[in-house]
Amino acid sequence: MNPGKLTRLLLILSVASLLIFGALSHSRAQRPKDVEQRVENLLRRMTLAEKLGQLQQLDGESNGNFRPEHLELIRQGLLGSTLNVRGAQRVNQLQHVAVEGSRLKIPNLFGFDVIHGYRTIFPIPLGEASSWDPVSAELSTSIAAREAYAVGLRWTFAPMVDIARDPRWGRITEGAGEDPFLGAAFARARVRGFQGSDYGAPGNILACAKHWVAYGAAEGGRDYNTTEVSEYTLRNVYFPPFKATVDAGVGTFMSAFNDLNGVPTSANHFILTSVLRGEWKFDGFVVSDYTAVKELINHGLATNDKEAAQAAINAGVDMEMVSRLFNQHSPALLKEGKVTQATIDEAVRRILRIKFRLGLFEHPYVDEAAESGALLTAANRAAAREIAGRSMVLLKNSNETLPLKKNLGAIAVIGPLADDRRAPLGWWAGDGKPEDTITPLAGIRAKVSAQTKVGYAKGCDTLGDSTAGFAEAVALAEASEVAVVFVGEEAEVVGEAASKSSLDLTGRQLDLVKAIQATGKPTVVVLINGRPLTVPWIVDTVPSILEAWMAGTESGNAIADVLFGDVNPGGKLPVTFPRSVGQVPIYYNHLNTGRPPEAKNRYSSKYLDTPWTPLFPFGYGLSYTQFKFSNLQLSARSIRNNGGLTASVEVENTGRRTGDEVAQLYIRDLAASMSRPVKELKGFQRITLKPGEKRRIVFTLNSEHLGFWNGQGRFVVEPGEFSVMVGPNSEDVIEQKFAVTGH
Ligand code: BGC
């Protein structure tokens, strides 16, 4: 599907959702002045206990049910929000207590982690970012929103927009990778997808930018670990995707778990108040991460619960997730003057404002009859398949082993993940169900001709030492014309609390690939994984490699679409693949050193035992056709520092198939008052070209792209020379230069 088609689909979806959910209401858009008035009126009537109730969020049971105590707390006005409670009937039951049974009738706000789909699961966000197509992300999140809305949810703890430069960190799977520009584009798209233009409109849900901030910079890639990030790097690298969510109108933020430069983020006034509210004028509310307020004690920022509550609330956390310290200790803190009434009132105001904007007071209930019909529809599955196909990255195809013919006599489908229904769903798979997953084996069976024999052998597990299944797998490969081996990671080893010190394939998976490759049969490796893996032997030896990621409910169909050429892969890596874990952190947009790496110079910035270059660079990905970049032209050789220019380049499909290319534009500010990265992505366009077709792509560069946050925290465009580089990935680029003048 091309982007035009996706955009149309997005439009159709919005209209359809108006028809489905619209029966409940007309426009829910509230006039800002009315909202503020209603907030103040309500606030005036609230007791302290009721105010503190709005600051509390509690967890439901893992099956989606609420807990018995929620009923009583809500009746007394002591609970404002739940997480994980879902299902139309349960939501209505609990909501009934809030709006009919409590004194002030303030509705409950139901939240859940809808990260890459609710019931129809889309590729993991890192995989979806490989599409380099924000329209795909907007579509998948808007479908996720509609499914979530149908089960009574009004708030997702997404998008996760943490920049991650360390694949040891399991949560790299949840974001858009290592780059702030690509990350900001996906952050915007995901907020738009969840919230639409009005998060109060039927079918839309409130989004939450998380984890504010620098959570992805955890030392050693160990989850929850300390981060030490200069303000320079925060502003230029870690902030931009968050700023993009604010510009896109995100309603909420989540404070993170990590310590940042000595002040845990959930008690960090600089980020929660000075930057977020002061500089960015964010007027939504901040929820803490799960028990992050209580964890301030472990951080050593507080000696007891009371001090932890004081630190978090004064820093700018409004709603406390799961721990109950605001509720328990605010009365005493107020009495002692350690927290002011104005601070509490402001937090309540921010939460009520969002509840009013959501239209919750007018429409607290969800239509139980509409629930089941909204989930896992044929249209949602079709979109999941298209987006999964767009997200796959062809890493190698040396003998044109791919695409495979559908009328092969026999194909061997091998590997621990060839018929696994859980792994493709990845981490935070909402209410996605393994039984709905199309596995690669099923997808291939559905794709090939009636005469083709599809054999399957698991070979080994992803963990453990057994090679007992090797002989069967080898015999199957020998009896087939081609072998496709599915290896990678299980969903349980990516995501939260899934940091790893090795990025190699686990168990005997590599040995299995070696055994199959040794048969001499044309071999294809398909990687199913949630983070970059170190697979240099496979890259050196196996002719064809497809990075399929954890591609969701429809992954098997999407993989088959790509393997057999119905979809020509056009994805690009949103993150650098290292050769070995010892190279980590390795990312393309690094600063230069005084001694840049040189092969023949020992005293240069490199390793003695491994190359300094990555296994695959950022932005990398092949196609079944070939593209040529030429004729890079700049509209000016010199511009003023408040001016702009265009860069244009010709891209030609020189191969024999229609295919997609992602033209990528990078800049380098050659000398400035601070060292600048050797390359920074500042533009990209995914285009479809027919064989022989040539198109000139135009990028605009202005101060927004050319400037940076300097040592004084000011955004500046400094005079001097700039490089503009354009190409199919961050390494293979053609270059031109221009100058910026003025001060
Ligand atoms: C995670 C958040 C998530 C929250 C609620 C935490 O452990 O860090 O990303 O939103 O749980 O499930």
Side-chain angles (χ1 to χ4, degrees), residues 207-447:
C208 179
K210 72 183 188 187
H211 308 80
W212 180 235
V213 61
Y215 181 35
E219 279 180 7
R222 190 157 57 87
D223 208 0
Y224 317 121
N225 206 4
T226 306
T227 65
E228 186 85 33
V229 186
S230 69
E231 190 175 333
Y232 177 56
T233 302
L234 281 176
R235 289 193 182 272
N236 288 295
V237 178
Y238 289 90
F239 283 3
F242 285 96
K243 178 62 165 53
T245 68
V246 173
D247 294 342
V250 75
T252 67
F253 259 54
M254 185 185 290
S255 68
F257 286 129
N258 53 296
D259 184 293
L260 176 66
N261 303 330
V263 185
T265 46
S266 289
N268 193 312
H269 190 272
F270 168 65
I271 59 149
L272 294 172
T273 298
S274 307
V275 175
L276 187 57
R277 271 74 179 240
E279 292 179 31
W280 295 357
K281 313 291 175 219
F282 171 72
D283 74 350
F285 72 83
V286 175
V287 63
S288 75
D289 205 342
Y290 206 102
T291 62
V293 176
K294 175 105 178 160
E295 289 166 25
L296 294 174
I297 300 171
N298 283 343
H299 278 293
L301 202 89
T303 59
N304 56 37
D305 288 356
K306 193 167 145 197
E307 282 179 19
Q310 177 187 341
I313 202 162
N314 283 339
V317 172
D318 303 305
M319 183 183 279
E320 182 180 3
M321 188 187 283
V322 176
S323 51
R324 309 182 189 207
L325 313 190
F326 286 6
N327 262 262
Q328 288 160 357
H329 299 287
S330 294
L333 288 167
L334 280 164
K335 261 197 212 114
E336 293 161 22
K338 292 182 174 148
V339 169
T340 66
Q341 188 61 51
T343 302
I344 301 280
D345 284 356
E346 187 54 25
V348 179
R349 201 175 270 128
R350 289 170 182 152
I351 292 164
L352 292 179
R353 180 182 292 142
I354 296 289
K355 287 190 172 184
F356 279 115
R357 285 186 192 158
L358 271 168
L360 269 180
F361 288 81
E362 290 72 30
H363 303 280
Y365 297 115
V366 54
D367 180 2
E368 293 176 26
E371 177 174 21
S372 63
L375 307 179
L376 202 71
T377 62
N380 293 0
R381 290 193 86 126
R385 180 175 182 165
E386 302 285 355
I387 292 170
R390 287 178 77 74
S391 303
M392 291 181 190
V393 186
L394 183 64
L395 295 177
K396 190 178 173 191
N397 196 23
S398 50
N399 307 332
E400 295 208 6
T401 310
L402 293 176
L404 302 173
K405 294 204 184 67
K406 292 179 193 165
N407 61 359
L408 285 167
I411 172 170
V413 179
I414 293 171
L417 299 177
D419 198 28
D420 186 301
R421 292 167 176 276
R422 177 69 192 92
L425 299 183
W427 179 253
W428 292 125
D431 268 335
K433 302 207 183 318
E435 56 265 36
D436 300 327
T437 307
I438 308 291
T439 68
L441 179 62
I444 290 171
R445 285 206 166 117
K447 181 68 79 180

Side-chain angles (χ1 to χ4, degrees), residues 104-127:
L104 292 173
K105 308 187 183 331
I106 304 176
N108 183 56
L109 177 54
F110 293 88
F112 187 53
D113 291 279
V114 182
I115 307 295
H116 54 115
Y118 176 73
R119 178 69 189 274
T120 309
I121 302 303
F122 292 85
I124 50 161
L126 186 67

Side-chain angles (χ1 to χ4, degrees), residues 87-135:
Q89 209 188 346
R90 292 161 176 161
V91 162
N92 283 346
Q93 199 185 335
L94 198 57
Q95 195 67 299
H96 181 76
V97 177
V99 299
E100 316 279 335
S102 74
R103 187 178 80 90
L104 292 173
K105 308 187 183 331
I106 304 176
N108 183 56
L109 177 54
F110 293 88
F112 187 53
D113 291 279
V114 182
I115 307 295
H116 54 115
Y118 176 73
R119 178 69 189 274
T120 309
I121 302 303
F122 292 85
I124 50 161
L126 186 67
E128 197 179 59
S130 305
S131 68
W132 287 56
D133 175 26
V135 174

Side-chain angles (χ1 to χ4, degrees), residues 572-735:
K572 304 276 184 172
L573 298 177
V575 62
T576 303
F577 272 45
R579 294 170 191 274
S580 68
V581 76
Q583 288 184 315
V584 171
I586 179 169
Y587 49 92
Y588 87 96
N589 49 354
H590 56 84
L591 305 184
N592 215 356
T593 69
R595 298 180 176 190
E598 279 175 56
K600 296 211 174 91
N601 180 1
R602 176 173 181 147
Y603 295 93
S604 71
S605 182
K606 62 183 185 182
Y607 297 104
L608 290 178
D609 57 349
T610 196
W612 69 83
T613 53
L615 189 60
F616 292 111
F618 175 81
Y620 180 83
L622 304 172
S623 162
Y624 295 151
T625 189
Q626 292 78 42
F627 296 96
K628 196 175 136 217
F629 284 69
S630 61
N631 243 321
L632 174 59
Q633 287 173 7
L634 304 184
S635 64
R637 287 281 148 208
S638 163
I639 60 165
R640 299 282 301 172
N641 64 351
N642 56 359
L645 78 166
T646 61
S648 71
V649 70
E650 276 172 10
V651 185
E652 183 180 358
N653 181 345
T654 56
R656 283 170 288 129
R657 286 168 176 270
T658 297
D660 284 10
E661 178 58 294
V662 181
Q664 302 164 33
L665 179 140
Y666 298 87
I667 63 155
R668 178 169 181 184
D669 185 348
L670 289 161
S673 60
M674 317 255 323
S675 307
R676 299 299 302 137
V678 295
K679 270 171 199 153
E680 292 177 274
L681 183 74
K682 292 296 174 184
F684 62 91
Q685 284 181 42
R686 180 167 173 157
I687 55 164
T688 305
L689 293 179
K690 299 200 183 71
E693 190 180 346
K694 189 197 270 189
R695 196 179 306 163
R696 183 162 281 279
I697 318 257
V698 183
F699 296 98
T700 303
L701 288 172
N702 52 40
S703 46
E704 178 195 328
H705 306 100
L706 303 175
F708 66 96
W709 292 91
N710 71 7
Q712 286 74 50
R714 281 185 41 231
F715 190 78
V716 289
V717 181
E718 293 186 354
E721 206 175 20
F722 283 72
S723 254
V724 176
M725 295 156 274
V726 180
N729 63 60
S730 62
E731 303 242 303
D732 303 324
V733 290
I734 49 179
E735 187 175 349

